[in-house]
Amino acid sequence: MKYLYTLAILCCLGFTANAQTTNSNYNKALADSLGADNYGMKQYVLVILKTGSNTTTDKEKLNQYFRGHMENIGRLAKEGKLVVAGPLGKNDKSYRGIFILDAKTIEEAQKLVETDPAVKAKIFDVELYPWYGSAALPVYLDTHSKISKENP
């Protein structure tokens, strides 16, 4: 499965399946610091946040859960464990948002997700899946902090 994802990415970048070449821009120190494999990829865990079973309408409680949710996102990002987070548009599956966690296993990711007050309160349920993507994902966060004019 991992091979198919890598092949798809390499094909999108203009590489063919039959021709492996050495990247003249390769930076071993950077690759090692990001945990990259030979293809510049690594294992993450994709988390899908779904509407949970807690249907409280208490605005004060909801504000408390969402404030805690946002604070937890910030904490996990600062710790380097959360590399992507964001809400999803309305859909028929009750999917609310995604995380991509820098975690090697579902079990490790589950422990990280359980630190979220909105997950603990069942405002969100979660689905977790192994995901193979670019090891460079974590470095975009520094750039984002320089282009976001306001923080939520």
Side-chain angles (χ1 to χ4, degrees):
M1 189 71 128
K2 205 183 276 191
Y3 174 78
L4 293 176
Y5 291 128
T6 303
L7 183 60
I9 288 171
L10 292 174
C11 288
C12 289
L13 295 173
F15 296 97
T16 63
N18 296 330
Q20 288 188 342
T21 60
T22 301
N23 178 1
S24 61
N25 293 321
Y26 178 69
N27 180 326
K28 181 175 179 9
L30 180 59
D32 289 348
S33 74
L34 295 171
D37 64 14
N38 286 344
Y39 300 107
M41 309 282 281
K42 69 184 280 184
Q43 187 67 49
Y44 297 97
V45 174
L46 169 67
V47 179
I48 299 176
L49 299 165
K50 306 183 316 182
T51 299
S53 58
N54 184 342
T55 58
T56 185
T57 57
D58 181 328
K59 290 191 188 274
E60 188 174 319
K61 283 243 184 238
L62 287 170
N63 285 339
Q64 179 184 350
Y65 296 140
F66 280 99
R67 187 172 33 258
H69 173 68
M70 297 306 292
E71 288 170 358
N72 196 59
I73 286 172
R75 181 185 62 78
L76 289 173
K78 283 180 185 162
E79 291 175 3
K81 292 297 184 181
L82 179 72
V83 293
V84 173
L88 294 172
K90 291 204 183 269
N91 60 78
D92 62 354
K93 298 195 181 299
S94 297
Y95 291 171
R96 304 283 298 277
I98 66 161
F99 293 157
I100 295 177
L101 296 173
D102 192 352
K104 290 181 172 47
T105 66
I106 296 293
E107 294 77 22
E108 179 187 354
Q110 184 67 46
K111 288 178 184 173
L112 294 171
V113 168
E114 288 172 358
T115 65
D116 188 314
V119 172
K120 282 183 190 176
K122 299 291 186 191
I123 298 298
F124 295 130
D125 286 334
V126 295
E127 292 180 6
L128 295 93
Y129 302 97
W131 185 72
Y132 185 63
S134 173
L137 277 180
V139 297
Y140 91 91
L141 289 171
D142 184 51
T143 301
H144 181 79
S145 71
K146 295 172 185 170
I147 64 169
S148 60
K149 191 172 183 179
E150 297 179 9
N151 291 320

